[in-house]
Amino acid sequence: MTADHPSTPSPAVAAGHAPVRRRTAYGKETWKEISFLLLNLPTALVGFVYAVTSVVVGVALSVTVIGLPLLAAGQAGARGIGRSERARARAMLDVDVAEPSRLPRVAGALPWLWARLKDPVAWRTQLYGLIRLPWGIFTFTVTLVALVALWPVLPFIARGLAAADRGMVRGLLSPSDELERRIAELESDRGVVVDTAAADLRRIERDLHDGAQARLVALAMGLGLAKEKLHEDPDAAAAMVAEAHGEVKLALQELRDLARGIHPAVLTDRGLGAALSSLAGRCTVPATVHVDLAERPAEAIEGIAYFTVSELLQNVSKHARARGASVEVWRTEHRLLLQVRDDGVGGARLDGSGTGLAGLAERLDAVDGLLVVDSPEGGPTTITAELPWRDRQV
């Protein structure tokens, strides 16, 4: 399989974006842009007057007791102006800029004052208000003239001016706390990883306690009884030893199964292709495996890929009612892609119950991965997982 595999989800589809539509010259988008440009002048006047008044008055009176509180109050109001401008751009320019996070709650007048005086979102909104007046006059004049005298080229003028407006909104009114947002996402992802690891440890402990440990305890008791009967009843002791030998085999099999669930030896020794072929051989549905990798990824990524395919094949066995399945693995640039298909009944959903896809998506998201499900009612089902590619350390 090559990197331009036809079933690979495009970045826009994977991110959940709608395909780009072809716009007409005098369509709805053009008239929304023209309306935005004509409204630039009155909104710019309001923003300019507010910015000059709040900043100049606050700075001029900063030598007095009321100066800094007035400046801080002006900064708080600037956030409201920025919010309205983002809403206007969202409604009329179809540009979606995330709302900045609220300032943290602080106790005391001085911490409240300091938090607002150093608020970068408010200061950039004030700068936006100052530079918008000349721009608002320019866009209002050009758009009005084009409406009257330059009708044939009006859509192109509106599109160019609106593109500049989109850049201003994104550059000056976007959140300045992207690092904070990323940290919050990483903290959430870390919580998922910790919870998953804790659940796996509990599962291993339960399997050991209920399986191999119980068998080994029974084996020790059986061997103890056989030792007592060794001289009195050798035949009974031999039968008990034979039974204990069977218990040892069962205990070893359970330990091998448990070790395979933690990290299979075939994955370590022979790589993803052999490990996935072993998984396909144990699947109740006939499954084919094709792995196109020139080199092996990092051990952690390889392990996540293995267990992702394992869970997807278990879902095929339990829920799909399929006659066949396939597993394909390939690399494209800095991503490792896994795709599991089946010809079953379909209907798999990330928010569905019983399939475990939501939990699998959370675990992939915790390592900057992605899960895309295409499963119409009646089938077939195609599930694509993306993982970050990291080179294997020698």
Side-chain angles (χ1 to χ4, degrees), residues 285-309:
V285 174
T288 60
V289 175
H290 177 68
V291 178
D292 183 14
L293 294 177
E295 56 183 325
R296 295 175 65 176
E299 293 181 2
I301 299 299
E302 195 174 57
I304 295 171
Y306 172 85
F307 288 110
T308 298
V309 174

Side-chain angles (χ1 to χ4, degrees), residues 208-220:
L208 282 172
H209 182 271
D210 298 341
Q213 181 179 343
R215 289 193 181 277
L216 291 174
V217 170
L219 174 63

